[in-house]
Amino acid sequence: MCTSDDRPSPVRLQAVAALGQPEPTPALEALYRGFERELLVPLWTEIGDLMPMAPRSKAVPHLWRWDRLVALAGEAGRIVPVGRGGERRAIALANPALGGKPYATPTLWAAIQYLLPGEDAPEHRHSQHAFRFVVEGEGVWTVVNGDPVRMSRGDFLPQAGWNWHAHHNAATEPMAWIDGLDIPFSYYTESQFFERGREHIAAHEKTTPERSRSERLWGHPGLRPLSQPGAPAATPLLAYRWVDTDRALADQLALEAEGHAGATLGEGHAAVRFTNPSNGRDVLPTMRTEMHRIRARAATRTRREVGSSVYQVFDGQGRVTVGERQWQVSRGDMFVVPSWVGFSAAADGGSALDLFRFGDAPIFEALHAFREEVDPA
Amino acid sequence: MCTSDDRPSPVRLQAVAALGQPEPTPALEALYRGFERELLVPLWTEIGDLMPMAPRSKAVPHLWRWDRLVALAGEAGRIVPVGRGGERRAIALANPALGGKPYATPTLWAAIQYLLPGEDAPEHRHSQHAFRFVVEGEGVWTVVNGDPVRMSRGDFLPQAGWNWHAHHNAATEPMAWIDGLDIPFSYYTESQFFERGREHIAAHEKTTPERSRSERLWGHPGLRPLSQPGAPAATPLLAYRWVDTDRALADQLALEAEGHAGATLGEGHAAVRFTNPSNGRDVLPTMRTEMHRIRARAATRTRREVGSSVYQVFDGQGRVTVGERQWQVSRGDMFVVPSWVGFSAAADGGSALDLFRFGDAPIFEALHAFREEVDPA
Amino acid sequence: MCTSDDRPSPVRLQAVAALGQPEPTPALEALYRGFERELLVPLWTEIGDLMPMAPRSKAVPHLWRWDRLVALAGEAGRIVPVGRGGERRAIALANPALGGKPYATPTLWAAIQYLLPGEDAPEHRHSQHAFRFVVEGEGVWTVVNGDPVRMSRGDFLPQAGWNWHAHHNAATEPMAWIDGLDIPFSYYTESQFFERGREHIAAHEKTTPERSRSERLWGHPGLRPLSQPGAPAATPLLAYRWVDTDRALADQLALEAEGHAGATLGEGHAAVRFTNPSNGRDVLPTMRTEMHRIRARAATRTRREVGSSVYQVFDGQGRVTVGERQWQVSRGDMFVVPSWVGFSAAADGGSALDLFRFGDAPIFEALHAFREEVDPA
Amino acid sequence: MCTSDDRPSPVRLQAVAALGQPEPTPALEALYRGFERELLVPLWTEIGDLMPMAPRSKAVPHLWRWDRLVALAGEAGRIVPVGRGGERRAIALANPALGGKPYATPTLWAAIQYLLPGEDAPEHRHSQHAFRFVVEGEGVWTVVNGDPVRMSRGDFLPQAGWNWHAHHNAATEPMAWIDGLDIPFSYYTESQFFERGREHIAAHEKTTPERSRSERLWGHPGLRPLSQPGAPAATPLLAYRWVDTDRALADQLALEAEGHAGATLGEGHAAVRFTNPSNGRDVLPTMRTEMHRIRARAATRTRREVGSSVYQVFDGQGRVTVGERQWQVSRGDMFVVPSWVGFSAAADGGSALDLFRFGDAPIFEALHAFREEVDPA
């Protein structure tokens, strides 16, 4: 079957006897051949898949163990160089239901990146938004537009689209961390741009200040520098330090313990969102990033949201439930929660469970398409 | 090769000798097997495809001729009933490069819908945003939340997500029109909801007022009814009539002819956007809709935009250029312009060329990812 | 008593025996003298006036009869020329409780303007926002940035700040209309700028097109010209014609009569707001403008709002109640409703009562300070 | 002269021989008598005052010395009790050109408040927005909706409208601080509400936590608590501590010294704005609050803005220039900068000059009426 352009048509239609489908007849078969030739597809054969009653994700819940990620990243460190072309020694989670593509979920890229002592990852910029999160180790600097940003355990480093950036490992040990990007979304929607920068960052950019310039300008609570007017769509603050995140979570649980139930998201469940200090919104236009702490022996309610998320266990041990799947998790483990699949977590070890989360909710909020359901406590 | 869950892995990696790729060695092969087993994909094998210098659309330019669309829709009218399950006798354009899927572009659904005299399409609602545009014919009513909206040549009828709607053909002739929806985008991002309504619309909803209630409330220029507070994200106005659109386009060209060059988008190129009167923005959160008029013997400049569009020729004849493709077009012909592919049109017949256009630009604007380039005049 | 700068102090404090006041003693007297010398005023003597339980307007309800306004304006036409310096033959309503100042309310200027056949009012621009409303007559043109705008009965012409404008009477009769501006607010907040333009408008600007250029670009319902990007804070549409306003009001009452109670603001009470088509908001950043129609024998509910309004009767006869005052009104009569004073209107003649209204509500909405109360029906 | 209502008219018009005025004649006199009777005022006698070329403030620059403010406040402490009715022992700056009214500028209230050891100021709430700033001392708590907020030198405490609040001095010394409110603006625009609360705050609210609950929820840089959704128009953070403000200013000057000129507002001039962490905007809808630090021997450029400001010297010594006035200032001194009057400051002592500033700029920004001019360096 060829199209009117004399090329083979990719459209394949099959007349079947099924509820809601027209009766298979020679006339219907002829019609379908016409559709194929003209590159047409009727709604009635597709509606069940395309327009379900509620989202049915193409992705599935899945868990990656941190020890295996680190082991393979370390092995890659031994045999795969870092440089222009490949750009980064980053290894992405491939959701088992997404055809072997490097997509943790349909919209999100999640990868472990690995850098040996003294290595540089070359400078580039891209329209995709990115962040780094450090579950262990220290010593790597990300240089953003010439501003070196230290990376240590618990730190969150957003990297808004179209900023020049490179990495350098100034320590004596290899370092691994995770990268989150909206690569699949940008690829799908065909909105991505990329540009290469310098091969090597300058020596003075490899020095290691305790705080980046961005932190010295924007990292003071409730204060903005008058020298930086406007409200950029993505955050101008390049590092959110663990000391602050930890304290904010501890404060919420302490307030709850003092009788202020409204301080937490649910009983024993503290949570903060990383925000753009210039507008109070998510750090990146396409990604929401949060840190959750579930108190020892507490559990979250089950929540179902439009859009997908990736979690990494930052600390503690616990049990997470994603739809039909359930796992015991500990430091570094990563798992995905597909769209409209229920999620809950319980800190069933003797200590709190800290979960880093990123997701695509800002896309749906911007388009007025976000919905959520929370099961009663 | 199986994953750690003992299921076959969809990941397939191949060590190849290529620029920017690590040298194929047994160690690399072993590493790739480990990646496959753990459901991991390295950036360095994917970056060229995933992160190009500028968008490279998976879709291609393509043209569908109106006479063939109408002929096949008419044939479908003879043999495929309309009713619950299939819901609509709608036949979608399938971009030849998108694997036979009913996607005009990666984000947009474009279909011809066809209704015989006396037929009803059953009531439902869905989160996907939709619109109808009528290139010829009249007599069908769309009933939106109980408000019957007449459809005639040149009319544009937006249909915001989650409103109940049904169609009824009250005329003595079949009628065809086009539907535009964000079905592929909703499917890809997994954000869609659907609900079935009444099987049949009530008799009094089949009456045929000249103007819908929505038009009587919201269809007066620069005036809003105080009884309807707020600014809904999608337009409350359910019909934009051809008499208004035509006049607005004629006014722009007349102003240009009187010496006011700034009245048009370019010389001989008038254009209006359909907007939500409650907030002045696009009628739908995910779709931009416009009508363009190119004066006889005039041509537009070539424009390249992030995001894709579908055009239908409303009137006149001309030549359109989409990237490397070029077609002579006339009434009803439909074609797609993929992301970042240049587009221009020329009215080379003796009369003006009127083009209806819809696209996904609001998605990119909402996410601060829109870019465009216009060639010098 | 002099200040520390040796100038007489304007502060005068009196120790009085009163509830909530400190006991008058010599020490208190000495303290008050010290306050006066240092230009200080204690809260405790002022709080009752400055911080009441709810707004107590400095203005009072008042009515001006149209026949007297027109008679005095006509007399001014005979003896006061129009030209540079005085700029306009405009005569402002002075609220009787505001000290003889030309303020209809603390924030609003309302004036009758009068132009003889052939007269020009010279071109200028100012940061104050303005509009014209025409209760009778026709033949005057307002020229805004070179775009002549016809003025006829029922037309509403907003005039955003900092646009050049002049008036010309091209008819054979004198013409009167009303001007509304935010002059008192701008004066009080000290934010006003003014610039003089040409003494005389050009001959070709005195021609009389049926529709201004602004209407041809922006006066089509739900359509925006692509040649005019962005969303200016004040409306780009320079005339809102009576034919549209009248039809919108009639439509609401007709819908109500057909059983759609939600179409009107209250039973028998239709109302539209003039809006900026580029953003759906009020036409001017500081002034809200509306037209209300009360059906024969209907009445509005009593409404109380933060902020003040000025009304002009456009047509019909009725009874209006403003706080403790009540008047029978007819065409052209103007009255003020001070902040937080209840207002209602009844069409007790045989026909509908049409009321044009302008007020300062956008100021309070922008600052999150708006409140309103509506009495039960 | 009486009005048509038989009450004396407040309008007084005088026919004078002056440029731009109509020639004084008996006819003009008669016309003016008619205007007075009908409560009308022509534009031509008022335009010069009402519509100047640029703002001409009714207020004048003025300085209040801190030692005299504290001395008089202390004296008031000895003889004026604090309690219901007077509500606060607050003593307001009265601009010498504003008729003895307690207005520092036409829109702003600035007062010194004074509380003896053990005293309570009773609970109330009002729609006016307020803040406290502490130039010296400590020991007082402001209790906001039951959340006690410690006050110490350098702390800034915003107090959004309509929140219950009371004060308590838990120390052994009297304490003075300054209050800023939008009382004159609210009074002028007649938008104010007030409600009395409890006479006495509870014992447990008098305890003295180091950090308020609001700080524990909202005082972490770039982090928002998920338990507090939305973006309130006024800040939910009730204290901005000096340690943060000081560090932010020091960081800017240090960055400048390291070669990053863009970190400061001008050479040697660091500045931060207090912002609402939920939306990145000013802490209060009507007031902007900032801290400026001018490095020793540096000076600011002269700046002219629509809207007025009040400054208090927080630390250091210097010379400030406001229009034609110039003063040597030191800790605690307060001065006003009227609308469109140029302001500059120089740290001519041996140390930096720290200036706290509050102003009404958010009003003008919200209404699109803000303008500023900065002299070249």
Side-chain angles (χ1 to χ4, degrees):
Chain A
M1 177 64 55
C2 284
T3 72
S4 50
D5 284 348
D6 278 331
R7 290 176 307 191
S9 172
V11 177
R12 289 287 172 270
L13 298 171
Q14 210 173 341
V16 293
L19 195 69
Q21 295 298 313
E23 198 182 348
T25 62
L28 187 69
E29 291 287 352
L31 180 67
Y32 281 8
R33 293 303 84 72
F35 284 170
E36 290 172 354
R37 204 162 41 236
E38 297 295 335
L39 293 162
L40 298 171
V41 176
L43 176 62
W44 58 80
T45 63
E46 303 286 324
I47 189 169
D49 182 42
L50 280 182
M51 304 181 83
M53 297 296 147
R56 290 200 301 252
S57 184
K58 296 169 282 295
V60 292
H62 193 75
L63 176 83
W64 289 258
R65 295 288 175 194
W66 184 239
D67 55 356
R68 299 191 197 162
L69 295 177
V70 172
L72 283 164
E75 182 63 16
R78 277 181 286 280
I79 61 180
V80 179
V82 170
R84 185 61 77 210
E87 303 287 319
R88 298 289 182 266
R89 192 186 289 116
I91 305 157
L93 311 188
N95 193 289
L98 294 176
K101 290 281 198 179
Y103 306 158
T105 79
T107 56
L108 298 172
W109 166 280
I112 179 170
Q113 194 176 152
Y114 194 85
L115 213 53
L116 296 174
E119 276 189 331
D120 286 343
E123 192 179 58
H124 59 213
R125 64 176 180 177
H126 42 70
S127 56
Q128 291 91 343
H129 299 291
F131 69 82
R132 334 278 160 214
F133 179 70
V134 184
V135 75
E136 61 185 18
E138 63 184 344
V140 166
W141 264 249
T142 293
V143 185
V144 183
N145 297 325
D147 185 12
V149 189
R150 178 177 59 83
M151 294 167 66
S152 300
R153 171 161 160 80
D155 293 346
F156 167 73
L157 291 85
Q159 176 70 73
W162 218 236
N163 288 292
W164 294 110
H165 59 284
H167 305 295
H168 172 68
N169 187 344
T172 56
E173 295 293 320
M175 182 172 164
W177 67 90
I178 67 165
D179 286 344
L181 291 97
D182 57 5
I183 289 176
F185 181 77
S186 293
Y187 178 76
Y188 169 74
T189 57
E190 308 182 337
S191 54
Q192 72 279 66
F193 294 85
F194 189 97
E195 200 172 344
R196 289 175 181 164
R198 301 170 295 168
E199 290 304 303
H200 296 289
I201 56 177
H204 75 270
E205 292 170 327
K206 296 187 184 178
T207 57
T208 60
E210 179 69 16
R211 293 184 298 145
S212 61
R213 298 202 299 270
S214 80
E215 289 164 87
R216 293 161 80 190
L217 285 172
W218 283 101
H220 309 282
L223 300 173
R224 66 174 295 158
L226 288 198
S227 56
Q228 316 292 314
T235 184
L237 179 58
L238 299 178
Y240 296 67
R241 298 296 176 191
W242 175 244
V243 62
D244 296 312
T245 308
D246 182 43
R247 191 185 198 205
L249 295 168
D251 275 344
Q252 289 183 20
L253 290 174
L255 281 164
E256 186 190 71
E258 295 165 21
H260 302 291
T264 52
L265 195 52
E267 197 191 330
H269 180 188
V272 290
R273 183 171 298 159
F274 299 101
T275 56
N276 175 344
S278 81
N279 65 12
R281 303 173 69 92
D282 284 293
V283 285
L284 300 168
T286 53
M287 284 190 285
R288 170 157 297 167
T289 51
E290 297 171 348
M291 184 69 75
H292 293 250
R293 173 168 294 170
I294 299 124
R295 206 189 49 211
R297 282 170 304 283
T300 73
R301 291 191 279 170
T302 297
R303 184 178 289 261
R304 200 171 287 101
E305 291 184 7
V306 163
S308 56
S309 292
V310 178
Y311 284 81
Q312 184 176 35
V313 179
F314 178 68
D315 214 352
Q317 303 200 351
R319 192 181 67 255
V320 297
T321 305
V322 185
E324 308 288 305
R325 305 296 301 270
Q326 195 167 78
W327 300 284
Q328 285 296 127
V329 294
S330 57
R331 183 183 291 187
D333 291 348
M334 301 180 71
F335 55 91
V336 295
V337 180
S339 185
W340 212 241
V341 171
F343 170 70
S344 65
D348 56 7
S351 63
L353 177 63
D354 283 359
L355 296 173
F356 172 74
R357 175 201 190 183
F358 70 100
D360 56 8
I363 294 172
F364 303 103
E365 288 188 351
L367 302 175
H368 304 275
F370 187 71
R371 292 198 197 186
E372 62 181 332
E373 284 179 3
V374 185
D375 286 358
Chain B
M1 179 61 57
C2 284
T3 73
S4 51
D5 285 348
D6 278 331
R7 290 175 307 192
S9 171
V11 178
R12 288 287 171 272
L13 298 171
Q14 209 173 344
V16 293
L19 196 69
Q21 296 296 314
E23 198 183 348
T25 62
L28 187 69
E29 290 287 352
L31 179 67
Y32 281 8
R33 293 301 85 71
F35 285 169
E36 290 172 352
R37 204 162 41 237
E38 296 295 335
L39 292 162
L40 298 171
V41 176
L43 176 62
W44 58 80
T45 63
E46 302 287 323
I47 189 170
D49 182 41
L50 280 182
M51 302 181 83
M53 297 296 146
R56 289 200 302 251
S57 184
K58 296 169 281 295
V60 292
H62 193 75
L63 175 82
W64 289 258
R65 294 290 176 193
W66 184 240
D67 55 356
R68 298 191 198 163
L69 294 177
V70 172
L72 283 163
E75 183 62 17
R78 276 182 288 280
I79 61 181
V80 179
V82 170
R84 186 59 78 209
E87 302 288 320
R88 298 290 182 265
R89 192 187 289 115
I91 306 157
L93 311 187
N95 192 289
L98 294 176
K101 291 281 197 177
Y103 306 158
T105 79
T107 56
L108 298 171
W109 165 280
I112 180 170
Q113 193 176 152
Y114 196 85
L115 214 53
L116 297 173
E119 277 188 331
D120 286 343
E123 193 179 55
H124 59 213
R125 65 176 179 176
H126 42 70
S127 54
Q128 291 92 343
H129 300 290
F131 68 82
R132 335 279 160 213
F133 179 70
V134 184
V135 75
E136 62 186 22
E138 63 183 347
V140 167
W141 263 247
T142 294
V143 185
V144 183
N145 297 326
D147 184 12
V149 189
R150 178 176 61 81
M151 295 166 65
S152 300
R153 171 163 161 78
D155 293 346
F156 167 72
L157 291 86
Q159 175 70 75
W162 217 236
N163 288 292
W164 294 110
H165 58 283
H167 305 296
H168 172 67
N169 187 344
T172 55
E173 295 294 321
M175 184 172 162
W177 67 90
I178 68 165
D179 287 344
L181 291 98
D182 57 7
I183 290 176
F185 181 77
S186 293
Y187 177 76
Y188 168 73
T189 56
E190 308 181 336
S191 54
Q192 72 278 66
F193 294 85
F194 190 96
E195 200 172 343
R196 289 174 181 166
R198 301 170 295 167
E199 290 304 305
H200 297 288
I201 56 178
H204 75 271
E205 292 170 325
K206 298 186 183 180
T207 58
T208 60
E210 180 69 14
R211 293 185 297 144
S212 62
R213 298 202 299 269
S214 81
E215 290 165 87
R216 294 161 80 190
L217 285 173
W218 283 100
H220 310 283
L223 300 173
R224 66 174 294 159
L226 288 198
S227 56
Q228 317 292 313
T235 184
L237 179 58
L238 299 178
Y240 295 68
R241 299 298 176 188
W242 176 244
V243 63
D244 295 312
T245 308
D246 182 42
R247 193 186 196 205
L249 294 168
D251 275 344
Q252 288 182 20
L253 290 174
L255 281 164
E256 184 189 73
E258 293 164 23
H260 302 291
T264 51
L265 195 53
E267 198 192 327
H269 179 187
V272 290
R273 183 170 299 159
F274 300 101
T275 56
N276 174 345
S278 80
N279 65 12
R281 302 172 70 91
D282 284 293
V283 286
L284 300 169
T286 52
M287 284 190 285
R288 171 157 296 166
T289 52
E290 298 172 347
M291 184 68 75
H292 293 250
R293 174 167 293 170
I294 299 126
R295 206 189 49 211
R297 281 169 305 283
T300 73
R301 290 191 278 170
T302 297
R303 184 178 289 261
R304 201 171 286 101
E305 292 184 6
V306 163
S308 57
S309 292
V310 178
Y311 285 81
Q312 184 176 36
V313 178
F314 179 67
D315 213 351
Q317 303 200 350
R319 192 182 67 256
V320 297
T321 305
V322 185
E324 308 289 304
R325 306 294 302 271
Q326 194 166 79
W327 300 284
Q328 285 299 125
V329 294
S330 57
R331 183 184 291 186
D333 292 348
M334 300 179 71
F335 56 91
V336 295
V337 180
S339 184
W340 212 242
V341 171
F343 170 70
S344 65
D348 57 5
S351 62
L353 176 64
D354 283 358
L355 297 173
F356 171 75
R357 175 200 191 182
F358 71 101
D360 55 10
I363 294 172
F364 303 103
E365 288 188 352
L367 302 175
H368 304 276
F370 188 72
R371 292 197 196 186
E372 64 181 331
E373 284 179 2
V374 185
D375 286 357
Chain C
M1 178 61 56
C2 284
T3 72
S4 52
D5 284 348
D6 278 333
R7 290 174 308 192
S9 172
V11 178
R12 289 285 171 274
L13 298 171
Q14 211 173 342
V16 293
L19 196 69
Q21 296 296 315
E23 199 183 346
T25 61
L28 187 68
E29 290 287 352
L31 180 67
Y32 281 8
R33 293 303 82 72
F35 284 170
E36 291 172 352
R37 203 163 43 236
E38 296 295 336
L39 292 162
L40 297 171
V41 176
L43 177 62
W44 58 81
T45 64
E46 302 286 324
I47 189 169
D49 182 41
L50 280 183
M51 301 181 83
M53 296 297 148
R56 289 198 303 250
S57 184
K58 297 168 282 295
V60 292
H62 192 76
L63 175 83
W64 289 258
R65 293 291 176 192
W66 184 239
D67 55 356
R68 297 189 199 163
L69 294 176
V70 172
L72 283 163
E75 183 63 16
R78 277 181 288 279
I79 62 181
V80 179
V82 170
R84 185 60 77 209
E87 301 289 320
R88 298 289 183 266
R89 191 187 288 117
I91 305 156
L93 311 187
N95 192 288
L98 294 176
K101 290 281 198 179
Y103 306 157
T105 78
T107 55
L108 298 171
W109 165 280
I112 180 170
Q113 193 175 152
Y114 196 86
L115 213 54
L116 297 173
E119 275 188 332
D120 286 343
E123 193 179 57
H124 59 212
R125 65 176 179 177
H126 41 71
S127 55
Q128 291 92 343
H129 299 290
F131 69 83
R132 336 278 159 212
F133 178 71
V134 183
V135 75
E136 63 185 20
E138 63 183 347
V140 166
W141 264 250
T142 293
V143 186
V144 182
N145 296 326
D147 184 11
V149 190
R150 179 177 60 82
M151 295 166 65
S152 300
R153 171 163 162 79
D155 293 346
F156 167 73
L157 291 86
Q159 175 69 75
W162 218 236
N163 287 293
W164 294 110
H165 58 284
H167 305 296
H168 172 67
N169 187 343
T172 55
E173 294 294 320
M175 184 172 162
W177 66 90
I178 67 165
D179 287 344
L181 291 97
D182 57 7
I183 290 176
F185 180 78
S186 293
Y187 178 75
Y188 168 73
T189 56
E190 307 182 335
S191 54
Q192 72 278 68
F193 294 85
F194 190 96
E195 200 172 345
R196 289 174 181 163
R198 300 169 296 166
E199 291 304 303
H200 297 288
I201 56 177
H204 75 270
E205 292 170 326
K206 298 187 184 179
T207 58
T208 60
E210 181 68 15
R211 293 184 298 145
S212 61
R213 299 202 300 270
S214 81
E215 290 164 88
R216 293 161 80 190
L217 285 172
W218 284 100
H220 310 282
L223 300 173
R224 68 173 293 158
L226 288 199
S227 56
Q228 316 291 313
T235 185
L237 179 57
L238 299 177
Y240 295 68
R241 299 297 177 190
W242 176 244
V243 63
D244 296 312
T245 308
D246 182 42
R247 193 186 195 205
L249 295 168
D251 275 343
Q252 289 183 18
L253 291 174
L255 281 164
E256 184 190 73
E258 294 165 21
H260 302 291
T264 52
L265 195 52
E267 198 191 330
H269 179 188
V272 290
R273 182 170 298 158
F274 299 102
T275 56
N276 175 345
S278 80
N279 65 12
R281 303 172 69 91
D282 284 293
V283 286
L284 301 168
T286 52
M287 285 190 284
R288 171 157 295 168
T289 52
E290 297 171 348
M291 183 68 75
H292 293 250
R293 173 168 293 170
I294 300 126
R295 206 190 49 211
R297 284 169 304 283
T300 73
R301 289 190 280 170
T302 297
R303 184 178 288 261
R304 201 171 287 100
E305 291 184 7
V306 163
S308 56
S309 292
V310 177
Y311 285 81
Q312 183 176 38
V313 179
F314 179 68
D315 213 351
Q317 303 200 349
R319 190 181 70 254
V320 297
T321 304
V322 185
E324 308 288 304
R325 306 294 302 270
Q326 196 167 81
W327 300 284
Q328 285 298 126
V329 294
S330 57
R331 182 184 290 189
D333 291 348
M334 300 180 72
F335 56 91
V336 295
V337 179
S339 185
W340 212 241
V341 171
F343 170 70
S344 65
D348 58 4
S351 63
L353 176 64
D354 283 359
L355 297 173
F356 171 75
R357 175 201 191 183
F358 70 101
D360 55 9
I363 295 172
F364 302 103
E365 289 187 352
L367 302 175
H368 305 276
F370 188 71
R371 292 197 197 186
E372 64 181 331
E373 284 179 2
V374 185
D375 287 356
Chain D
M1 176 62 59
C2 285
T3 72
S4 52
D5 284 346
D6 278 330
R7 290 176 308 193
S9 171
V11 178
R12 289 288 172 271
L13 297 172
Q14 211 173 342
V16 293
L19 195 71
Q21 296 296 315
E23 199 182 346
T25 62
L28 186 69
E29 290 286 355
L31 180 67
Y32 280 8
R33 294 301 84 72
F35 284 170
E36 291 172 352
R37 202 162 44 235
E38 296 296 334
L39 293 162
L40 297 171
V41 176
L43 176 62
W44 59 79
T45 63
E46 303 286 324
I47 189 169
D49 181 43
L50 280 182
M51 303 181 83
M53 296 297 147
R56 288 200 303 250
S57 185
K58 296 169 282 294
V60 291
H62 193 76
L63 175 83
W64 289 258
R65 293 288 175 194
W66 184 239
D67 56 355
R68 299 192 197 161
L69 294 177
V70 172
L72 283 163
E75 181 64 16
R78 278 181 286 279
I79 61 180
V80 179
V82 169
R84 185 60 78 209
E87 302 289 318
R88 298 290 182 265
R89 192 187 289 114
I91 305 157
L93 311 189
N95 192 289
L98 294 176
K101 291 281 197 178
Y103 306 157
T105 78
T107 55
L108 298 171
W109 165 281
I112 180 170
Q113 194 176 150
Y114 196 85
L115 214 54
L116 297 173
E119 275 189 333
D120 286 344
E123 193 180 55
H124 59 214
R125 65 177 179 175
H126 40 71
S127 55
Q128 290 92 343
H129 300 291
F131 68 82
R132 336 277 159 214
F133 178 70
V134 183
V135 75
E136 60 185 22
E138 62 182 348
V140 166
W141 264 248
T142 293
V143 185
V144 182
N145 296 325
D147 184 12
V149 189
R150 178 176 61 81
M151 294 166 66
S152 300
R153 170 161 162 79
D155 293 346
F156 167 73
L157 291 84
Q159 175 69 74
W162 218 235
N163 287 292
W164 294 111
H165 59 284
H167 305 296
H168 172 66
N169 187 344
T172 56
E173 294 294 319
M175 183 172 163
W177 66 90
I178 67 165
D179 286 344
L181 291 98
D182 58 6
I183 290 177
F185 181 77
S186 293
Y187 178 75
Y188 168 73
T189 57
E190 307 181 335
S191 53
Q192 73 278 68
F193 294 84
F194 191 96
E195 201 173 343
R196 290 174 181 165
R198 300 169 295 166
E199 290 305 304
H200 296 289
I201 55 178
H204 74 271
E205 292 169 326
K206 297 185 184 181
T207 58
T208 59
E210 179 69 14
R211 293 184 299 145
S212 61
R213 297 203 300 269
S214 81
E215 289 164 89
R216 292 162 79 191
L217 285 172
W218 284 100
H220 309 281
L223 300 173
R224 66 173 295 157
L226 288 198
S227 56
Q228 316 292 313
T235 185
L237 179 58
L238 299 177
Y240 295 67
R241 299 295 177 191
W242 176 243
V243 63
D244 296 312
T245 309
D246 182 42
R247 192 185 198 207
L249 295 168
D251 274 345
Q252 288 183 20
L253 291 174
L255 281 164
E256 185 189 72
E258 294 165 22
H260 302 291
T264 53
L265 196 52
E267 199 192 328
H269 180 188
V272 290
R273 182 171 298 158
F274 300 101
T275 57
N276 176 345
S278 80
N279 65 12
R281 303 172 69 91
D282 284 293
V283 285
L284 300 169
T286 53
M287 283 190 285
R288 170 157 295 167
T289 51
E290 296 172 347
M291 184 69 74
H292 293 250
R293 173 168 294 171
I294 299 126
R295 205 190 50 212
R297 283 170 303 282
T300 74
R301 290 190 279 170
T302 297
R303 185 178 287 262
R304 201 172 285 103
E305 290 185 7
V306 162
S308 57
S309 291
V310 177
Y311 285 80
Q312 184 176 36
V313 179
F314 178 68
D315 213 351
Q317 303 199 351
R319 190 180 70 254
V320 297
T321 305
V322 185
E324 308 288 305
R325 306 295 302 271
Q326 196 167 79
W327 300 283
Q328 285 298 126
V329 294
S330 57
R331 183 184 289 189
D333 292 348
M334 300 180 71
F335 55 91
V336 296
V337 179
S339 185
W340 212 241
V341 171
F343 169 71
S344 65
D348 56 5
S351 63
L353 176 64
D354 282 358
L355 296 173
F356 172 75
R357 175 200 190 184
F358 70 101
D360 55 8
I363 295 172
F364 303 103
E365 288 188 352
L367 302 175
H368 304 275
F370 188 71
R371 291 197 197 186
E372 63 181 331
E373 283 179 3
V374 185
D375 286 358

